[in-house]
Amino acid sequence: MSLSHLYRDGEGHMDDDDDERENFEITDWDLQNEFNPHRQRHWQTKEEATYGVWAERDSDEERPSFGGKRARDYSAPVNFISAGLKKGAAEEAVLEDSEDEEKPIKQEDFPKDFGPKKLKTGGNFKPSQKGFAGGTKSFMDFGSWERHTKGIGQKLLQKMGYVPGRGLGKNAQGIINPIEAKQRKGKGAVGAYGSERTTQSLQDFPVVDSEEEAEEVIDMTGREQKVYYSYSQISHKHNVPDDGLPPQSQLPPLPGKEAKAPGFALPELEHNLQLLIDLTEQEIIQNDRQLQYERDMVVNLSHELEKMTEVLEHEERVISNLSRVLEMVEECERRMQPSCPNPLTLDECARVFQTLQDKYYEEYRMSDRVDLAVAIVYPLMKDYFKEWDPLKDCTYGTEIISKWKSLLENDQILSHGGQDLSADAFHRLIWEVWMPFVRNIVNQWQPRNCDPMVDFLDSWVHIIPVWILDNILDQLIFPKLQKEVDNWNPLTDTVPIHSWIHPWLPLMQARLEPLYSPIRSKLSSALQKWHPSDSSAKLILQPWKDVFTPGSWEAFMVKNIVPKLGMCLGELVINPHQQHMDAFYWVIDWEGMISVSSLVGLLEKHFFPKWLQVLCSWLSNGPNYEEITKWYLGWKSMFSDQVLAHPSVKDKFNEALDIMNRAVSSNVGAYMQPGARENIAYLTHTERRKDFQYEAMQERREAENMAQRGIGVAASSVPMNFKDLIETKAEEHNIVFMPVIGKRHEGKQLYTFGRIVIYIDRGVVFVQGEKTWVPTSLQSLIDMAK
């Protein structure tokens, strides 16, 4: 397909000589006429493609053609177009020089007042209005082009109020003369050589900086009033000191004159000067830092000098003190020589050591006190105790030894090992000087004469080290006591064993436990033929009740004493008319020695059966109920409150009351002593009320004691209720106390207390009996559960 139709001239005809062609790129014309497809398209010429907007174009070609296409006349003669006059050599040289001077100019090289500006308008004039382009012409020729037309433009302007010779617009503010053109000197870009405005444009359209106010700025801060046309001039007004006028380069350009670039610009020199300034500044900063460093060094050295001066003074004082200490020690050694007329005593030596501790404490603590004490103190200490008898004078030397303890004992706590002797002068002093005298006297001591030895150790217990006291008790005292216990015979020795064993309890305590077993064994052998009528056994055993453990003591009593008491109580004859009470007294006398449960067991087995039998026999023979009442109350008064509070004993006496009540109730119709029934009923009511009151008092007392001890209850909590008290008691006696699930009696929760079923109602414990629920005390409940 041929593309020859694309090569046409400006009128649409083909031109072989013309290189005109159609460009397929999207141009501004295409964008502007996007919605006007019927507008005639202007074909781009080769010159326009090459020079763009600077290409010359014919004004006739821009106008629309109303006559259609015209054919070119190739028969017309050739018309030559003048290309101008050829310039001379001088003019071409000047032009070349001007072209050489055209160099890229930096933005900072432009005048400061050169920049975007805005027109200074007034009234209702709009900057968008445009004037005529072309040369300067008189307004008389205005509209002369209408002679070639029908004159419709002039008429329209006159209808809208236009007056010939005046400007356009409502206020005639439009320009009359066309805008003048000004030739640029070189080929640089627009604005490269300063302002390109003419005198006419500056008059018609005054300008100010686009970023500043259009109004003039009046500066009254100096010695005289100044007027600035822009704020940029204010920032440069103090560049030259003591000069009221700003520099010439900072003055705003006069109307009609161009802003000129600075005439003297040496960037290389300025760069070098700035470089020298920076180097000098860095050198100044470095010198300042070095100066500050040297000053700090001087301060540090001054402080170091002060510290070293203080250290030197301290060392001088230490040397002086050590010299004085050495003089005092040498003086003590000189006075300890046998040929010295004024020998050193232990008190004087103690004063010397006290002086060392008070005045030269640091040197005294740093010195080797062990070697110093061994060399000076030990010989004096041996001489001081050489005539001492600890059993005769137990306090001899306690005061002087206490003083030496404060002088020689090390601050750290020492263990019992012998290796600690090398670290503590006082412990070594006691072990090597004082201890030999003690060993000698203990070897000569008789264990049954315990008081002097006990007094001696009591006097020294707070002075001597603990490990030395333990050594005395374990290695010296206990073997002597153990040997003496083995030789003791309770049947032949007139001195009770507790008289020479118990004084050692405060000092030895648990160390005496190995002696208790052979003592109990020998006492048990001695009680085999004993009878309760012999009260010496109680005198021998009573001191050991609180020494033996509760379990071992109870076992000893059950094995050796209770059977003897049961045999004696079984021999008791109960006779209301002639009663012998010796056997009963022998048994009751052991109440504090044997447990309550053991004593109650003896009474239930050997006393109450006979006693109730005698009561029944007496009631069946028409007795005197007043005598029976006295007999009942008399026997009851023989028992302590603790025994009477036991449930078994209480049941036996209640059984006796029931027997008496049945007796007075069964003799209906027979002879009855007047008032007997009432007396027995009153006695029964009174005794049971006393029992109940006593139980309540005991329970209240126990609750108060437990609250004081804080058993089961915090100190800040409220007092416990009765159920909590029962629970605490059950824990103390290892009794299971728990509710019975799903079981109630009259709406009250049932509990198991051991093997007993109980319930609690208003602070009273009820125990299930054979037919009914019986109230009981807490102690009785515990005894029944056991």
Side-chain angles (χ1 to χ4, degrees):
M1 180 177 178
S2 176
L3 299 177
S4 60
H5 66 281
L6 299 177
Y7 297 93
R8 301 177 182 269
D9 56 6
E11 296 180 356
H13 301 284
M14 293 292 296
D15 189 0
D16 296 334
D17 299 331
D18 196 354
D19 292 337
E20 294 180 355
R21 58 186 177 84
E22 185 178 5
N23 192 355
F24 288 90
E25 295 180 357
I26 298 176
T27 62
D28 294 339
W29 187 91
D30 296 327
L31 297 176
Q32 294 175 0
N33 297 277
E34 180 180 3
F35 300 101
N36 188 13
H38 301 291
R39 184 176 179 180
Q40 183 181 2
R41 181 180 181 87
H42 169 71
W43 300 99
Q44 188 180 28
T45 63
K46 181 178 180 181
E47 186 177 4
E48 290 177 351
T50 303
Y51 298 102
V53 295
W54 288 276
E56 296 181 357
R57 62 177 62 182
D58 190 1
S59 60
D60 294 338
E61 295 178 358
E62 296 179 358
R63 297 175 184 175
S65 176
F66 299 97
K69 299 181 180 180
R70 292 186 304 171
R72 296 186 62 180
D73 186 6
Y74 294 100
S75 62
V78 177
N79 294 328
F80 293 93
I81 300 174
S82 176
L85 299 177
K86 183 178 180 181
K87 298 180 181 180
E91 294 180 358
E92 291 180 356
V94 172
L95 182 60
E96 290 177 0
D97 293 338
S98 63
E99 290 178 355
D100 294 338
E101 292 176 359
E102 293 179 1
K103 297 179 179 179
I105 302 177
K106 298 182 180 179
Q107 185 175 1
E108 56 267 20
D109 296 336
F110 293 164
K112 296 184 178 180
D113 56 349
F114 181 78
K117 299 178 181 289
K118 62 182 180 179
L119 293 176
K120 183 176 181 182
T121 60
N124 296 326
F125 176 74
K126 297 182 180 179
S128 61
Q129 295 175 348
K130 301 180 180 178
F132 292 97
T136 305
K137 292 183 180 182
S138 173
F139 68 90
M140 296 301 294
D141 296 333
F142 180 77
S144 60
W145 50 271
E146 286 193 348
R147 65 176 175 269
H148 303 291
T149 65
K150 296 181 179 180
I152 184 98
Q154 182 72 17
K155 295 178 182 179
L156 291 176
L157 289 175
Q158 290 177 357
K159 286 183 180 181
M160 290 186 290
Y162 169 72
V163 178
R166 298 180 61 183
L168 297 177
K170 180 178 180 181
N171 298 324
Q173 71 273 18
I175 64 174
I176 299 175
N177 298 327
I179 299 176
E180 298 179 355
K182 183 178 180 181
Q183 183 181 4
R184 193 176 302 128
K185 291 186 295 184
K187 295 183 179 181
V190 177
Y193 304 100
S195 175
E196 297 182 0
R197 299 191 61 184
T198 62
T199 305
Q200 177 188 355
S201 65
L202 292 174
Q203 292 177 354
D204 294 338
F205 303 100
V207 299
V208 294
D209 291 345
S210 61
E211 297 181 356
E212 298 179 357
E213 297 291 337
E215 291 81 5
E216 297 177 349
V217 179
I218 302 176
D219 181 15
M220 302 182 67
T221 59
R223 291 177 293 182
E224 59 183 7
Q225 177 177 336
K226 301 176 183 178
V227 178
Y228 298 106
Y229 294 95
S230 63
Y231 287 106
S232 62
Q233 298 176 2
I234 300 178
S235 62
H236 300 285
K237 68 176 183 176
H238 296 298
N239 285 353
V240 180
D242 299 332
D243 190 0
L245 295 176
Q248 186 66 24
S249 61
Q250 296 182 3
L251 289 175
L254 297 176
K257 293 186 177 181
E258 298 179 357
K260 297 182 178 179
F264 182 78
L266 296 176
E268 294 82 2
L269 179 60
E270 293 178 359
H271 171 74
N272 294 337
L273 291 176
Q274 186 64 38
L275 183 62
L276 291 175
I277 292 172
D278 295 340
L279 293 175
T280 306
E281 182 181 1
Q282 293 298 326
E283 185 177 359
I284 293 173
I285 294 174
Q286 184 67 24
N287 292 337
D288 180 70
R289 292 177 180 174
Q290 184 66 26
L291 178 61
Q292 187 63 33
Y293 171 77
E294 298 296 339
R295 289 175 179 174
D296 295 340
M297 183 62 68
V298 170
V299 174
N300 293 335
L301 292 177
S302 299
H303 291 304
E304 189 69 23
L305 180 59
E306 293 178 359
K307 292 181 180 179
M308 297 306 297
T309 303
E310 294 177 359
V311 172
L312 181 60
E313 293 176 355
H314 175 70
E315 295 296 334
E316 290 178 353
R317 289 195 301 269
V318 170
I319 294 173
S320 177
N321 294 337
L322 288 176
S323 300
R324 295 190 183 95
V325 170
L326 183 60
E327 292 176 0
M328 297 175 67
V329 173
E330 291 176 351
E331 178 65 19
C332 292
E333 291 180 349
R334 186 186 62 79
R335 295 182 60 185
M336 290 182 64
Q337 298 299 326
S339 60
C340 181
N342 185 19
L344 183 67
T345 62
L346 192 59
D347 291 336
E348 292 176 347
C349 185
R351 286 194 294 270
V352 171
F353 273 77
Q354 187 67 43
T355 303
L356 293 175
Q357 188 179 34
D358 295 341
K359 293 185 178 181
Y360 311 103
Y361 180 79
E362 293 296 333
E363 292 76 9
Y364 178 73
R365 288 298 177 184
M366 292 171 59
S367 62
D368 193 354
R369 287 172 289 172
V370 177
D371 296 339
L372 186 62
V374 170
I376 298 177
V377 182
Y378 286 14
L380 299 176
M381 191 69 68
K382 291 179 180 179
D383 185 66
Y384 181 80
F385 284 107
K386 64 181 180 180
E387 302 295 336
W388 175 49
D389 187 354
L391 298 181
K392 295 181 180 179
D393 189 1
C394 60
T395 60
Y396 178 81
T398 54
E399 183 177 355
I400 190 66
I401 293 297
S402 299
K403 184 183 297 184
W404 280 107
K405 181 179 181 180
S406 62
L407 294 173
L408 300 178
E409 190 174 23
N410 201 339
D411 297 334
Q412 63 182 0
I413 299 177
L414 299 176
S415 62
H416 292 236
Q419 66 272 14
D420 293 328
L421 292 176
S422 60
D424 194 282
F426 177 73
H427 288 211
R428 184 173 177 180
L429 173 66
I430 296 297
W431 180 257
E432 296 182 359
V433 178
W434 182 84
M435 196 62 184
F437 295 99
V438 176
R439 291 193 191 96
N440 187 27
I441 200 66
V442 170
N443 292 331
Q444 302 176 8
W445 166 68
Q446 295 298 324
R448 298 199 179 193
N449 186 19
C450 64
D451 293 337
M453 185 60 68
V454 172
D455 294 339
F456 161 69
L457 292 179
D458 284 337
S459 302
W460 288 85
V461 67
H462 300 294
I463 301 175
I464 61 177
V466 176
W467 66 273
I468 292 181
L469 177 63
D470 294 340
N471 181 270
I472 294 173
L473 296 177
D474 294 337
Q475 305 296 330
L476 301 178
I477 302 298
F478 182 78
K480 300 280 288 188
L481 293 177
Q482 189 175 25
K483 183 178 180 181
E484 193 66 23
V485 168
D486 294 338
N487 297 330
W488 171 68
N489 187 352
L491 298 177
T492 59
D493 288 337
T494 57
V495 179
I497 188 173
H498 66 270
S499 63
W500 49 273
I501 293 293
H502 289 184
W504 291 104
L505 287 173
L507 288 172
M508 303 188 70
Q509 297 178 358
R511 290 186 176 92
L512 297 176
E513 283 287 343
L515 301 179
Y516 298 156
S517 180
I519 291 175
R520 287 193 295 267
S521 178
K522 291 191 175 186
L523 289 174
S524 179
S525 301
L527 291 173
Q528 289 181 358
K529 298 180 180 181
W530 169 78
H531 190 270
S533 60
D534 185 4
S535 60
S536 61
K538 182 181 178 181
L539 297 176
I540 295 175
L541 295 177
Q542 189 173 10
W544 295 97
K545 182 177 183 297
D546 297 329
V547 176
F548 296 158
T549 60
S552 60
W553 173 258
E554 182 66 19
F556 181 82
M557 289 289 105
V558 171
K559 179 181 179 181
N560 300 287
I561 301 300
V562 173
K564 303 289 185 179
L565 297 180
M567 181 184 63
C568 181
L569 197 58
E571 296 174 355
L572 175 64
V573 178
I574 299 176
N575 186 0
H577 302 288
Q578 188 178 2
Q579 183 67 53
H580 296 282
M581 300 294 295
D582 294 339
F584 182 81
Y585 290 147
W586 296 337
V587 175
I588 293 298
D589 192 39
W590 285 87
E591 179 180 352
M593 300 291 290
I594 62 177
S595 63
V596 176
S597 58
S598 299
L599 180 59
V600 171
L602 291 175
L603 294 175
E604 286 181 332
K605 184 177 181 181
H606 301 287
F607 173 73
F608 281 112
K610 295 187 293 185
W611 184 76
L612 292 175
Q613 184 179 3
V614 171
L615 177 61
C616 293
S617 301
W618 194 1
L619 292 174
S620 62
N621 295 322
N624 185 348
Y625 285 95
E626 185 177 356
E627 293 180 358
I628 291 177
T629 301
K630 293 180 179 179
W631 180 78
Y632 170 85
L633 295 175
W635 274 107
K636 191 174 182 180
S637 63
M638 300 298 293
F639 299 97
S640 63
D641 293 339
Q642 189 176 6
V643 175
L644 292 175
H646 196 277
S648 300
V649 177
K650 190 186 301 182
D651 292 341
K652 296 300 180 182
F653 282 104
N654 289 332
E655 184 179 353
L657 291 175
D658 293 338
I659 292 173
M660 288 188 285
N661 282 312
R662 287 196 299 269
V664 296
S665 301
S666 61
N667 292 332
V668 179
Y671 174 77
M672 180 64 63
Q673 181 180 355
R677 185 178 292 109
E678 290 77 6
N679 291 337
I680 296 301
Y682 177 75
L683 175 65
T684 302
H685 177 73
T686 303
E687 291 300 314
R688 289 181 176 174
R689 185 179 63 183
K690 288 181 179 179
D691 293 341
F692 184 78
Q693 291 177 352
Y694 178 78
E695 291 174 0
M697 182 182 65
Q698 287 295 110
E699 292 174 357
R700 191 181 306 110
R701 189 176 301 167
E702 290 180 1
E704 291 176 355
N705 293 336
M706 293 178 66
Q708 292 177 358
R709 294 195 304 266
I711 300 178
V713 182
S716 59
S717 62
V718 297
M720 63 175 63
N721 54 29
F722 193 63
K723 176 178 173 297
D724 296 334
L725 179 61
I726 296 175
E727 185 177 359
T728 304
K729 280 292 186 181
E731 292 177 358
E732 291 181 358
H733 295 277
N734 296 324
I735 299 174
V736 178
F737 175 68
M738 59 183 298
V740 181
I741 300 176
K743 297 293 184 179
R744 292 181 176 274
H745 176 73
E746 296 180 354
K748 306 295 189 300
Q749 175 68 48
L750 296 181
Y751 299 90
T752 57
F753 192 85
R755 293 176 295 177
I756 305 172
V757 180
I758 65 172
Y759 76 89
I760 304 171
D761 185 14
R762 290 176 292 182
V764 179
V765 181
F766 289 86
V767 182
Q768 187 178 18
E770 296 179 358
K771 297 181 179 180
T772 183
W773 293 85
V774 181
T776 185
S777 64
L778 183 58
Q779 186 61 42
S780 302
L781 180 65
I782 295 171
D783 294 337
M784 287 187 291
K786 287 184 176 180

